[in-house]
Amino acid sequence: MSDKVKVTIDGITVEVDNGTTILNAARQIGGEIVPPAMCYYSKLEGSGGKCRTCIVKVSKGSEKDPRPMPKLVASCRTTVMDGMEVLNITSPEVLEARAGVVEFLLINHPLDCPICDQAGECDLQNLSYEHGLQKTRYEFIRRTFDRIDVGDKVQLHMNRCILCYRCVYVADQLTDKRVHGILNRGDHSEISTYISNIIDNDFSGNVIDVCPVGALTDKTFRFKNRVWFTKPVQAHRDCSHTNCKGEVTLWYRGEDVLRVTARKDEFGEVESFICNECRFDKKSTTDWVIEKPTHIDDTSVISSNHYETLIPLPVIKPNPALQAANEIELHKKVKY
């Protein structure tokens, strides 16, 4: 069997390794044809298949068996076949079904974007903008939970959780002892710890980065600022932890580092997980070697007033001479 197979997604053909999922094949093409993913995370083994937002239509199974698949499939869990043809944004059936999935995800989700720290970088916010309805048809009482601290630096707000399991997989695969998971069943399911335990390990802060909504937030950054008022800058340090590369994104407001996060790729996934020391304890510019401004996509609200200039870094220094010149030019242009 050949190591490479050809798959066509929305009319674009790409050659990928045998065993590649439809979602990852679409990611190799890039652009708008990449299905959205709320639970799949390429860095976490076993993730995917929970949220169903990445569903696509397989109009041709393969060259050997050209019959279409009878139902829409989750692209993160379906591997490609040689000659397979897939429809994503070109299929009205897929778009209608995805809108239904988004409606289900929003059934219990509170409308608290104005006070949520995740606003501006929330996958569910983007998804509902693309596929959501203008108003909900849900008339029943939403389920509610009390906010709890699952650590001295992490707060859990279950009202916003969509049960994507990402934080559970992070704890399973990055730490020696996982103390949280999914409790109960059905509409009563929730992320929690057993007997009010706390999440206490060197990589516990990574549950914040992988959470696609505002269910797990950084208590040291909570309510301090909006992400579109900050300037993200890439930096690194020699971290003493053997499993941490010390490569992070510093979020500046003026000269202050408001928060530290792991670097993310174009699909919003963490490139390499970082330890809690880098995340919570190193919030001074002198702790880091500054590299360059983080690239922000033009479609993101974070790109507002964001300039990818190399000088000055990491913060803008006052320039009295330039300010005086600007004042002179301003008075020349203003006519009373």
Side-chain angles (χ1 to χ4, degrees):
M1 182 179 291
S2 175
D3 293 335
K4 296 287 185 178
V5 295
K6 289 185 178 180
V7 57
T8 303
I9 305 175
D10 286 340
I12 302 176
T13 302
V14 61
E15 191 175 63
V16 298
D17 293 333
N18 193 19
T20 303
T21 62
I22 296 175
L23 176 60
N24 284 327
R27 286 184 172 184
Q28 292 189 29
I29 298 173
E32 296 181 350
I33 71 167
V34 180
M38 296 295 292
C39 65
Y40 175 76
Y41 218 79
S42 62
K43 314 299 188 299
L44 301 175
E45 184 181 350
S47 65
K50 311 293 191 302
C51 68
R52 320 306 286 183
T53 57
C54 68
I55 52 177
V56 295
K57 181 177 182 179
V58 178
S59 57
K60 178 182 177 181
S62 65
E63 288 292 346
K64 293 182 178 179
D65 186 0
R67 292 176 299 174
M69 291 189 179
K71 296 182 180 180
L72 302 183
V73 298
S75 60
C76 67
R77 286 289 192 176
T78 307
T79 56
V80 299
M81 300 290 287
D82 191 34
M84 177 181 283
E85 295 181 4
V86 179
L87 301 179
N88 181 25
I89 60 174
T90 57
S91 170
E93 182 183 357
V94 170
L95 297 180
E96 182 181 3
R98 189 168 292 154
V101 171
V102 174
E103 188 174 10
F104 274 115
L105 290 178
L106 294 173
I107 278 180
N108 288 300
H109 198 82
L111 186 61
D112 58 357
C113 299
I115 62 168
C116 180
D117 283 322
Q118 192 81 358
E121 51 185 0
C122 176
D123 294 338
L124 185 59
Q125 204 174 35
N126 298 333
L127 191 66
S128 60
Y129 178 80
E130 292 286 339
H131 303 282
L133 301 177
Q134 292 183 354
K135 60 181 181 180
T136 180
R137 297 181 293 178
Y138 192 69
E139 299 178 351
F140 302 95
I141 298 175
R142 296 170 184 256
R143 65 175 193 167
T144 56
F145 300 86
D146 294 329
R147 289 191 296 270
I148 59 174
D149 293 335
V150 292
D152 61 337
K153 302 279 196 318
V154 183
Q155 186 171 95
L156 172 62
H157 197 171
M158 258 305 300
N159 291 353
R160 301 168 180 166
C161 180
I162 61 170
L163 298 175
C164 69
Y165 287 71
R166 285 182 180 179
C167 62
V168 179
Y169 285 120
V170 163
D172 260 340
Q173 297 169 28
L174 265 69
T175 64
D176 296 330
K177 52 176 183 176
R178 174 170 64 87
V179 297
H180 78 289
I182 306 292
L183 301 186
N184 305 317
R185 293 185 178 185
D187 194 44
H188 297 283
S189 298
E190 62 174 304
I191 296 285
S192 187
T193 58
Y194 183 62
I195 315 181
S196 300
N197 206 338
I198 64 170
I199 302 174
D200 182 22
N201 55 69
D202 293 339
F203 282 82
S204 63
N206 290 287
V207 299
I208 301 171
D209 283 339
V210 301
C211 182
V213 293
L216 290 161
T217 54
D218 182 353
K219 290 174 62 179
T220 65
F221 178 69
R222 192 171 175 82
F223 300 136
K224 281 193 174 180
N225 221 299
R226 286 303 197 182
V227 290
W228 53 85
F229 293 142
T230 61
K231 183 179 180 66
V233 175
Q234 291 189 6
H236 68 273
R237 62 183 285 266
D238 292 328
C239 182
S240 58
H241 201 293
T242 55
N243 296 324
C244 177
K245 294 182 179 180
E247 298 175 348
V248 303
T249 297
L250 306 179
W251 297 79
Y252 277 95
R253 179 68 191 269
E255 298 183 4
D256 299 323
V257 179
L258 298 184
R259 69 169 177 167
V260 181
T261 64
R263 297 183 189 179
K264 295 186 177 182
D265 59 21
E266 59 181 312
F267 304 113
E269 296 184 359
V270 171
E271 294 179 353
S272 62
F273 295 105
I274 61 174
C275 66
N276 286 355
E277 181 183 2
C278 289
R279 184 183 302 275
F280 299 121
D281 300 333
K282 302 297 181 181
K283 292 190 175 181
S284 174
T285 301
T286 56
D287 295 326
W288 300 93
V289 177
I290 305 299
E291 299 175 11
K292 61 181 180 179
T294 302
H295 173 71
I296 301 297
D297 192 90
D298 292 340
T299 59
S300 171
V301 68
I302 306 176
S303 65
S304 176
N305 298 320
H306 177 78
Y307 302 96
E308 295 184 26
T309 177
L310 293 175
I311 300 175
L313 271 180
V315 294
I316 299 176
K317 302 295 183 182
N319 190 331
L322 181 59
Q323 291 176 350
N326 286 340
E327 287 291 333
I328 295 174
E329 291 297 321
L330 180 63
H331 287 298
K332 286 180 180 180
K333 294 181 180 179
V334 175
K335 296 181 180 179
Y336 297 96

